[in-house]
Amino acid sequence: MTTPFPFTAVVGQDDLRLALLLNAVSPAVGGVLVRGEKGTAKSTAVRALSALLPEVAVVPGCRFSCDPAAPDPGCPDGPHEAGTGTTRPARMVELPVGASEDRLVGALDIERALAEGVKAFEPGLLADAHRGILYVDEVNLLHDHLVDLLLDAAAMGASYVEREGVSVRHAARFLLVGTMNPEEGELRPQLLDRFGLTVEVAASREPDQRVEVVRRRLAHDDDPAAFAARWADEEAAVRERIVAARRLLPQVRLGDGALRQIAATCAAFEVDGMRADIVMARTATALAAWAGRTDVLAEDVRQAALLALPHRRRRNPFDAPGLDEEKLDQTLEEFSGEDDSDPDPDPDGPGGGGGGGQPAPDDAGPQGGDTAARPEAGEGGEPQPSGAGEQSAVRAAEPFRAKVLSVPGIGEGAAGRRSRARTEHGRTTGARRPQGTLTKLHLTATVQAAAPHQRARGRSGPGLVVRRDDLRQATREGREGNLVLFVVDASGSMAARQRMSAVKGAVLSLLLDAYQRRDKVGLVTFRGAAAEVALPPTSSVDAAAARLESLPTGGRTPLAAGLLKAHDVLRVERLRDAARRPLVVVVTDGRATGGPEPVALAGRAARLFAAEGVASVVMDCESGPVRLGLAGQLAAELGGTAVTLDELRADSIAGLVKDVTRRAA
């Protein structure tokens, strides 16, 4: 068994360690979401936390870790009689990104349930994590339905498993910790809100601190046991402090003054719902207990806000997380009142004490809001000539709600919300013999397959004699996520400020739609003499938005190069993710300049997409009283459809392109 890296030996990352410790003191805080770049000790700190948690008393032989002092009356292994039990270390259970629903919540033996009518239940990871830690690395890459199940169990403290009328419930209370790299995609806002606290982590830029990180890591790798022994006293001290804080927690008093500050802070930062207020109250209380106090102070409220609010302020993936600390301090001061205590103070509470936790870092994260773009030094409304020099980036217009663009046919790609697909979740459309493990039973088809053989199998009682060959897997149709590849014309003919602002706003609208529908996105741009992949296919739509925002324009229009570059991107992506179907969105006025026969070359490149059946849409960015219709011709060559910017501004793009199969008509 490997020796974990000691929690107290982690260098820096004060906010991360504090957030984990507060949840160890009060699991009701609601867990921690750790956001940060790779290699910042996210996983190391989480795995080390389990060694600090006190041992838990369990009923011997219970697979669901029931507390012998108060066993769960509905435990599937019960009923248990209250009495003495055994103790074991708190568990840390890791949920793999590729786990199935049955692995998470558990599975029933379908054959025994049908033939014998018994609840033969095999517990899942939620049962293993009960009264311990459930750790999800790369939680942003976990399938949405698994995240929903996970967070529902965390909120209710129980897991429910139902298969064709057979139901099992068991307790599932755990400390939920998720880590993620924002570059690989964001969680939906409603799922972000379900995590109690969030922490942004980054590698230190201080050479001395980086040296110490390397020194400790090498020492641990050389002799893990000896390194852990050197930190044993510090680990024991933190473990004792957690136990003491847990005992003190019920005595901590949250005064009306602190409650007013919490409510005023949540209102000032315009967070949705009431969960933020509740989480802040629990966090501030845990901070006071961690500091050994029975009164919540303003500094506890401030620290709680820094941990509980940043991720709740995001309205869409283009908003930067973080809090304006100056605004936070002003709000706390304005609603400080006379004191955090009631008119009749508690005579038994201590009169002071140290701060509730770590001091707030100076670089707590980027402030909310967009970064202002530089004004463009160019003509106001007229398009630049195709040979014009490079223009500075122009700010995007306000994005709007876009309707659905879908890929024709039925796919089998990753779970999402865009195009029709055969999935594990959705409406049942038929049945088939299972290929591998049975996951979704089609009960009617199974009974129909078994019924003709009952006499031959010697059935004598009421139970149905079911063999494995009788089982039928339900086939279901739902929605999949696609690869939306944007091919953006950044040439001089697109450089007019007003037009490029509208184009960027339109693309941002579709990026927001791609985020909501769980798509991957990519960005290819072309101008001057060549095309480039500004963003390889990724789940991080905010990265695409950042690339788009800073996109300069100018030069000639190598349309063929842009299409060929996009074709290469799709070819490589098919090798990486063959099941994910692409949708190509070409943003251009249709002009092609530079090199010999640019229009003919563009037509040949476009026909490559048509020959492979790639779904495509062309945003016609041509403006002015005289229109050449070049974008429409390009759409015909691609085998797709074209939509003008005027139609786009009217929110009618999906009405024109939601059925991309028009191109086959």
Side-chain angles (χ1 to χ4, degrees):
M1 181 178 178
T2 59
T3 303
F5 194 90
F7 185 86
T8 52
V10 174
V11 179
Q13 308 297 11
D14 291 341
D15 282 347
L16 169 58
R17 291 189 293 162
L18 177 62
L20 292 172
L21 289 170
L22 292 178
N23 274 272
V25 171
S26 175
V29 166
V32 186
L33 176 65
V34 187
R35 298 163 44 92
E37 58 197 26
K38 52 188 176 294
T40 50
K42 300 189 299 292
S43 300
T44 299
V46 174
R47 292 189 174 101
L49 178 66
S50 61
L52 297 179
L53 297 182
E55 289 190 336
V56 295
V58 297
V59 173
C62 178
R63 297 174 297 168
F64 301 88
S65 302
C66 281
D67 185 350
D72 180 7
C75 176
D77 282 356
H80 305 298
E81 294 184 3
T84 59
T86 61
T87 60
R88 62 163 176 78
R91 292 175 181 159
M92 195 208 73
V93 177
E94 189 164 350
L95 173 63
V97 170
S100 66
E101 180 181 340
D102 287 344
R103 183 72 186 99
L104 176 63
V105 301
L108 294 172
D109 187 331
I110 299 296
E111 291 179 78
R112 291 191 63 192
L114 285 174
E116 304 173 29
V118 297
K119 297 180 181 179
F121 181 68
E122 184 65 29
L125 295 177
L126 291 180
D128 292 341
H130 180 46
R131 304 175 69 197
I133 300 173
L134 182 61
Y135 173 46
V136 189
D137 194 13
E138 305 295 350
V139 65
N140 51 324
L141 303 182
L142 200 64
H143 283 179
D144 282 355
H145 73 281
L146 292 182
V147 176
D148 292 337
L149 290 170
L150 182 65
L151 295 179
D152 284 344
M156 296 185 295
S159 174
Y160 295 85
V161 185
E162 297 191 15
R163 293 291 187 277
E164 307 299 340
V166 181
S167 177
V168 173
R169 172 220 168 266
H170 65 83
R173 291 183 295 276
F174 46 82
L175 166 56
L176 176 63
V177 183
T179 58
M180 60 176 283
N181 184 346
E183 294 178 356
E184 297 173 344
E186 288 285 357
L187 281 172
R188 305 194 310 270
Q190 60 268 41
L191 298 183
L192 279 172
D193 185 55
R194 299 294 288 273
F195 282 94
L197 308 180
T198 187
V199 178
E200 295 278 342
V201 297
S204 172
R205 298 298 182 257
E206 292 293 331
D208 291 343
Q209 195 171 72
R210 296 175 74 96
V211 166
E212 187 61 23
V213 170
V214 175
R215 182 181 289 121
R216 293 186 187 183
R217 184 76 253 180
L218 294 177
H220 176 267
D221 292 347
D222 289 342
D223 192 343
F227 185 81
R230 281 170 29 205
W231 291 88
D233 291 343
E234 288 83 352
E235 294 282 285
V238 173
R239 190 179 299 110
E240 291 173 3
R241 189 175 176 185
I242 291 174
V243 173
R246 285 186 174 184
R247 291 180 183 145
L248 184 62
L249 187 65
Q251 305 171 37
V252 175
R253 185 175 56 85
L254 185 64
D256 288 344
L259 277 173
R260 281 194 298 270
Q261 287 183 317
I262 290 171
T265 301
C266 292
F269 286 100
E270 300 180 348
V271 295
D272 294 332
M274 295 298 298
R275 186 175 281 120
D277 304 63
I278 296 170
V279 170
M280 273 190 65
R282 289 172 174 166
T283 304
T285 303
L287 280 162
W290 178 247
R293 290 184 275 100
T294 56
D295 277 313
V296 173
L297 305 180
E299 59 201 80
D300 300 322
V301 176
R302 185 184 194 278
Q303 185 65 61
L306 293 173
L307 294 173
L309 295 188
H311 61 302
R312 293 185 165 89
R313 295 187 61 248
R314 291 172 65 95
R315 295 295 188 273
N316 61 60
F318 313 138
D319 294 338
L323 288 183
D324 184 338
E325 294 192 35
E326 183 177 349
K327 180 179 178 180
L328 173 61
D329 291 335
Q330 290 174 352
T331 303
L332 293 176
E333 183 177 357
E334 179 182 354
F335 287 87
S336 59
E338 302 90 10
D339 196 354
D340 272 344
S341 59
D342 292 331
D344 182 19
D346 182 3
D348 297 328
Q358 305 293 339
D362 292 335
D363 54 348
Q367 303 302 320
D370 297 329
T371 302
R374 294 173 293 168
E376 178 177 303
E379 308 240 350
E382 295 301 319
Q384 302 294 318
S386 59
E390 180 177 302
Q391 305 293 319
S392 59
V394 63
R395 190 183 183 92
E398 188 70 20
F400 53 84
R401 183 175 180 82
K403 298 180 183 178
V404 183
L405 291 80
S406 61
V407 177
I410 300 179
E412 295 181 350
R417 293 186 175 88
R418 183 171 298 279
S419 305
R420 295 172 59 200
R422 285 179 286 270
T423 62
E424 288 295 316
H425 299 271
R427 63 185 182 90
T428 300
T429 58
R432 60 174 173 80
R433 291 182 181 273
Q435 299 171 349
T437 303
L438 178 71
T439 56
K440 297 292 182 182
L441 177 74
H442 194 295
L443 181 59
T444 303
T446 299
V447 172
Q448 288 176 343
H453 308 290
Q454 296 304 295
R455 181 175 296 178
R457 293 172 183 174
R459 172 184 170 184
S460 58
L464 189 67
V465 181
V466 179
R467 304 280 172 80
R468 177 158 294 275
D469 288 345
D470 300 327
L471 299 180
R472 295 295 182 266
Q473 174 83 25
T475 58
R476 301 190 175 191
E477 182 178 307
R479 293 283 170 177
E480 68 176 359
N482 298 107
L483 166 60
V484 182
L485 182 61
F486 293 91
V487 186
V488 180
D489 184 350
S491 65
S493 64
M494 298 281 290
R497 180 183 180 87
Q498 184 176 1
R499 189 198 315 177
M500 199 60 196
S501 176
V503 167
K504 286 187 175 182
V507 178
L508 280 178
S509 302
L510 294 180
L511 282 172
L512 181 58
D513 181 68
Y515 162 76
Q516 294 167 339
R517 300 188 186 283
R518 316 308 288 167
D519 294 318
K520 293 178 73 172
V521 296
L523 179 62
V524 173
T525 63
F526 57 95
R527 65 187 180 91
E532 66 172 345
V533 181
L535 183 72
T538 175
S539 297
S540 179
V541 297
D542 52 342
R547 300 289 198 283
L548 182 73
E549 189 75 17
S550 61
L551 178 66
T553 57
R556 295 188 178 276
T557 312
L559 178 56
L563 294 174
L564 291 174
K565 180 68 71 175
H567 188 268
D568 287 343
V569 170
L570 294 185
R571 177 179 55 81
V572 173
E573 194 62 18
R574 285 191 196 100
L575 300 176
R576 296 175 177 168
D577 194 353
R580 191 181 291 267
R581 297 184 296 160
L583 173 65
V584 177
V585 180
V586 184
V587 184
T588 181
D589 57 9
R591 299 183 184 183
T593 60
E597 300 183 340
V599 176
L601 283 175
R604 287 199 290 271
R607 287 191 288 275
L608 291 175
F609 292 87
E612 296 174 1
V614 176
S616 60
V617 175
V618 178
M619 283 192 200
D620 185 357
C621 302
E622 191 175 24
S623 62
V626 179
R627 297 177 181 265
L628 303 178
L630 298 177
Q633 296 176 24
L634 175 63
E637 297 278 10
L638 286 165
T641 56
V643 57
T644 67
L645 278 178
D646 289 338
E647 293 164 334
L648 187 63
R649 293 190 193 99
D651 270 4
S652 60
I653 182 171
L656 297 172
V657 300
K658 64 181 179 180
D659 186 7
V660 189
T661 54
R662 280 177 49 185
R663 70 184 207 266

